[in-house]
Structures are given as C-alpha cells and as structure tokens.
Amino acid sequence: MLFGIPLSELAWLAVALLAAGAVTGVLAGVFGVGGGAVIVPVLYELFVVIGIPDEVRMPLCVGTSLAVIIPTSIRSFNAHRKKGAVDMSIVKVWAVPVVVGVVIGGVIARYAPADVFKAVFVIVAGASALRLLFGKDSWKIADDIPSTPIMRAYGVLIGVLSALMGIGGGQLSSLFMTFYGRPIHQAIATSSGLGVIISIPGALSYIYAGWPRAAQFPDVTALQVPLALGYVSVLGFILFVPTSIWTAPLGARLAHALPKRKLEVLFGLFLLAVCSRFLISFF
C-alpha cells in the first residue's frame, strides 16, 4: 500500500498516465491545443477507478489538466513558432484579457458544482466539432480579425471557458480565428501560444479553488488522491509531463504535413468524441 492505494493499482495508474501523456503530446502538436480535451476525460476515468468522489472529481481533472498543459503548451508553441506559423500580434493582444478570464474561471471553479464543468465541455466541444466537420470556408463573420476592444472581450471569454474546461484555449481560439478568415494551420499554430498564458494562472487558480474543499473530504489523503494540491494532482502532473513533452514536436510536424481539410475533419471528430463522452455521463 502507498498513499492508501494498493501498489498494483498505482502501477496500473502510472502506466495509464504515461501512455495518455504520449497521446496528449501528439494531439497538442497536431491541433495546437495543450491536450486538455484528452487529459480531462482520461483523468476522469482513472479517478473513477481509484474512488475519487464525484463532488471533486471533475474540478480535480480540470485543475490537473491545466498544470500538465504548462510544459506541453510551451513545447508545442516553440515548435510552431520555429515554423513561422504563429501570429504573435494576436497572442499579444489576447495575453492580458485571457489571464483575467482564467482568474475569473478559477473563482467560479471554487463554488461551481461538477456538472458545470461537464456542461461547458459539451457546449464548446460540440460547437467546435460541428463547425469543423460541416462548416464551409464561406462561414465567416468577417475576412479579418476585429478591432482590439472586441479582441479583448473575446480574450476574456476564452480565458473563462478554458479555465472551466481545463484546456489551453486551442479549440476556442482556433474556432474564433477561422470565423475571421484565418487559415486553419495558422489558427492552430497561434492557438498554441494561448496555452502558455492560460495554463500557469489556471493551475494556480485551481490550487486556490480546491484548498477549502480538501477539508471537506478528510477520509483519504489530500483530496482523496495521492499528492494533491487543491484541485491539482501532483502525481498526475509528474506522470503526464515526460511523455507529453517528448511527443509534442511530432504532433507539430504532422500538423504541417496534413492537408487543410483532413486536419479539420480529424480535429472535429476528436472534439465530437470528447463531447459525446461527457454528454453520456449526465445520464
């Protein structure tokens, strides 16, 4: 036994987290996301197995996801930037508003029930998937990025929703940029930059949000998962990070090698699968 969990279960959990980390890194590079849309459902299933209570399971998944995204998104962003595909002007305009939105999302996480996190996942992932699978190039709000005040408002919204989903903002910002006439490859590459400015304040917000909840569940060590800080599982972070960092550049190379439509379809199917998983969990 270690941390109150049989060693056999811990060994299985470690292998599963390492494998999931490798998949997360590839997806982070391919889709310009920090991998949160993969991390959250994977952690959700694993935490079910080891008996994490439903009241804290989803926010614990989201907070851990944001922590894992920190190194993954940095690696993915650097890989895309070396290819010259990142529009840094957009990243700079969004930087402060996105952080403000993330902090707001962290405050909401402190008081919101678990179903709120799932609902945000379903709505955002579903909308993104439908746009990518069935949308056309003619589906645009405008041919270019809007004015700075509108961009900042979008940035706050992206920050709030990303904090509640445990993502690096890739799904949301990619959807936004394609609606404003940016090519999918550039949208994905630029979105990778948001992961860096979302994940760090996001993880800190979830440590803060989960700290008082830990006192409500004293029966098992530290929020009923080994080595947890508030709503962030240190164990999950440690095991996800090595393989996700290692495979992120591979995903970035795949993204630039794939045709535009194939990349859109793959991204759409991926998001639809995530959306379906959490929709089913409501019943």
Side-chain angles (χ1 to χ4, degrees), residues 100-177:
V100 170
V102 169
V103 173
I104 294 171
V107 173
I108 294 173
R110 184 169 183 139
Y111 304 102
D115 285 349
V116 169
F117 302 91
K118 295 179 184 178
V120 172
F121 234 103
V122 169
I123 293 170
V124 176
S128 299
L130 292 175
R131 166 68 176 90
L132 289 165
L133 291 172
F134 305 109
K136 300 178 181 178
D137 290 339
S138 58
W139 290 14
K140 293 180 182 179
I141 298 174
D143 292 328
D144 202 1
I145 298 298
S147 63
T148 299
I150 295 176
M151 286 286 287
R152 287 173 177 163
Y154 274 119
V156 173
L157 180 62
I158 289 171
V160 172
L161 295 177
S162 298
L164 293 176
M165 291 179 69
I167 63 174
Q171 292 95 312
L172 299 167
S173 54
S174 293
L175 183 65
F176 168 84
M177 282 184 276

Side-chain angles (χ1 to χ4, degrees), residues 54-144:
D54 186 62
E55 295 92 333
V56 296
R57 187 185 307 144
M58 192 64 186
L60 186 63
C61 294
V62 172
T64 304
S65 173
L66 288 167
V68 172
I69 287 169
I70 295 172
T72 304
S73 60
I74 291 172
R75 183 81 163 170
S76 176
F77 172 62
N78 286 335
H80 281 289
R81 188 174 57 176
K82 287 179 181 178
K83 294 181 179 291
V86 178
D87 187 336
M88 288 302 300
S89 65
I90 293 178
V91 175
K92 290 176 181 178
V93 170
W94 267 341
V96 173
V98 164
V99 171
V100 170
V102 169
V103 173
I104 294 171
V107 173
I108 294 173
R110 184 169 183 139
Y111 304 102
D115 285 349
V116 169
F117 302 91
K118 295 179 184 178
V120 172
F121 234 103
V122 169
I123 293 170
V124 176
S128 299
L130 292 175
R131 166 68 176 90
L132 289 165
L133 291 172
F134 305 109
K136 300 178 181 178
D137 290 339
S138 58
W139 290 14
K140 293 180 182 179
I141 298 174
D143 292 328
D144 202 1

